[in-house]
Amino acid sequence: MENSGTSSFLRTRRLESCFNASSTLSLKETPKRSVKEELRSKRSADIYLDEEGWGSVLISWIRIVMCFLTMMVTTFVWASIMLVLIPWPYERIRQGNIYGHVTGRLMMWILGNPIKIEGAEFSNKRAIYISNHASPLDIFLIMWLTPTGTVGIAKKEIIWYPLFGQLYVLANHLRIDRSNPTAAIESMKEAARAVVKNNLSLIIFPEGTRSKNGRLLKFKKGFVHLALQSRLPIVPMVLTGTHLAWRKGSLHIRPAPLNVKYLPPISTTDWTADKIEDYIKMIHDLYAKHLPESQRPS
């Protein structure tokens, strides 16, 4: 047991030195283990190290260009379909979901990140789906994995996102003005009424914005108000690794492994308006429990 603890301590020290920007390993300090042994050790420690060589960056750029070209084609096809369906707004929502399933899956296939999906048995229920948000890759995953008949709620500025934003609006998904709390609350109420009337599901990022470092941010109240209005169950989607694969402010997509975990539905039928803060804390704590240490709140 003592030897095991000592070797664990030494591995930790070596990994810390790898991440220390000011440290440089000399030839004398190079570990004697083979490359395969090193990779196996890193996998067992659940740690992903960057590939920053020019070859990796070039491959990343090629994949980004392929993604953009693919999205151009699928967006043109589904925009044409939705223009025909202008008189039928809720059919456009359905077509928007199918567009997301096709486009999101193609994007992730092109990017090539290993993806593990857990709890898929909870992915086809009528519910309010919520997800943590730390990378643009979250958008592709959500597009792919949310069920048909799901309406999204996003900030009004999404319309300016190339290709995706315009189709988002055309697909009759909802936008809110975060700078105007009164208008935002009213938009939430309208969304809840539309969801109940048309037997839809919802998808929303409860943090309200993207995390800069992958760590879970505080949750806004919007998803709880939606639950109180619609009485739909809440299905948390826990995304891990996306902040390592595509970091904020970077166009270098790394082959980091990704994990999507659906948690069991949380009933909201007996929720009351006087306990909103309690519900937010309960679900926030649930996320913190299922996220790795590097993504838990600071």
Side-chain angles (χ1 to χ4, degrees), residues 10-268:
L10 291 175
R11 282 198 300 272
T12 302
R13 295 298 297 171
R14 281 199 295 270
L15 288 172
E16 286 176 352
S17 67
C18 287
F19 286 109
N20 188 340
S22 63
S23 65
T24 55
L25 290 174
S26 68
L27 289 175
K28 292 181 180 180
E29 295 170 320
T30 302
K32 295 181 180 179
R33 292 186 297 176
S34 68
V35 174
K36 288 184 178 180
E37 288 174 333
E38 286 292 329
L39 290 174
R40 192 178 298 114
S41 174
K42 288 164 188 172
R43 285 194 201 101
S44 66
D46 197 25
I47 292 175
Y48 171 74
L49 300 180
D50 283 346
E51 296 180 20
E52 292 291 356
W54 66 268
S56 174
V57 174
L58 179 60
I59 291 172
S60 173
W61 274 91
I62 291 172
R63 285 175 168 168
I64 289 174
V65 171
M66 290 176 64
C67 283
F68 186 77
L69 293 175
T70 300
M71 184 174 276
M72 283 183 65
V73 173
T74 58
T75 300
F76 176 78
V77 170
W78 263 273
S80 302
I81 293 172
M82 290 184 197
L83 286 172
V84 174
L85 296 173
I86 286 292
W88 299 280
Y90 295 102
E91 184 59 31
R92 280 187 278 133
I93 290 175
R94 181 175 177 277
Q95 285 299 322
N97 295 146
I98 296 172
Y99 161 83
H101 297 161
V102 173
T103 304
R105 184 67 187 97
L106 284 172
M107 297 294 102
M108 298 312 302
W109 178 75
I110 291 170
L111 294 176
N113 295 79
I115 302 172
K116 180 180 180 181
I117 299 174
E118 301 178 72
E121 64 271 22
F122 307 125
S123 65
N124 289 310
K125 301 181 181 295
R126 185 167 168 258
I128 297 173
Y129 291 86
I130 62 173
S131 171
N132 55 310
H133 187 22
S135 166
L137 289 182
D138 302 335
I139 304 292
F140 296 153
L141 289 169
I142 292 297
M143 288 167 61
W144 168 29
L145 295 173
T146 49
T148 302
T150 301
V151 61
I153 299 179
K155 59 185 180 181
K156 68 174 184 178
E157 293 84 2
I158 198 171
I159 193 174
W160 304 115
Y161 289 19
L163 301 177
F164 173 75
Q166 292 77 50
L167 199 75
Y168 179 94
V169 175
L170 192 57
N172 203 39
H173 290 293
L174 304 168
R175 295 179 298 147
I176 60 173
D177 183 359
R178 294 188 301 183
S179 64
N180 187 336
T182 302
I185 291 173
E186 188 56 37
S187 296
M188 291 287 187
K189 291 180 179 179
E190 288 181 20
R193 287 193 290 267
V195 163
V196 171
K197 180 180 178 181
N198 296 280
N199 293 318
L200 299 172
S201 293
L202 278 162
I203 177 66
I204 188 171
F205 294 120
E207 295 161 288
T209 189
R210 192 194 329 166
S211 171
K212 293 180 180 180
N213 57 9
R215 290 194 178 276
L216 190 68
L217 303 176
K218 291 182 178 179
F219 284 177
K220 308 291 185 183
K221 298 180 181 179
F223 77 101
V224 177
H225 285 294
L226 287 167
L228 289 171
Q229 293 283 331
S230 66
R231 296 300 173 179
L232 287 174
I234 292 173
V235 175
M237 297 174 66
V238 183
L239 309 186
T240 58
T242 59
H243 68 298
L244 297 176
W246 192 347
R247 295 175 180 172
K248 191 175 180 69
S250 171
L251 289 178
H252 181 190
I253 300 177
R254 299 160 174 83
L258 312 178
N259 191 83
V260 180
K261 185 175 185 179
Y262 294 88
L263 300 183
I266 300 168
S267 175
T268 65

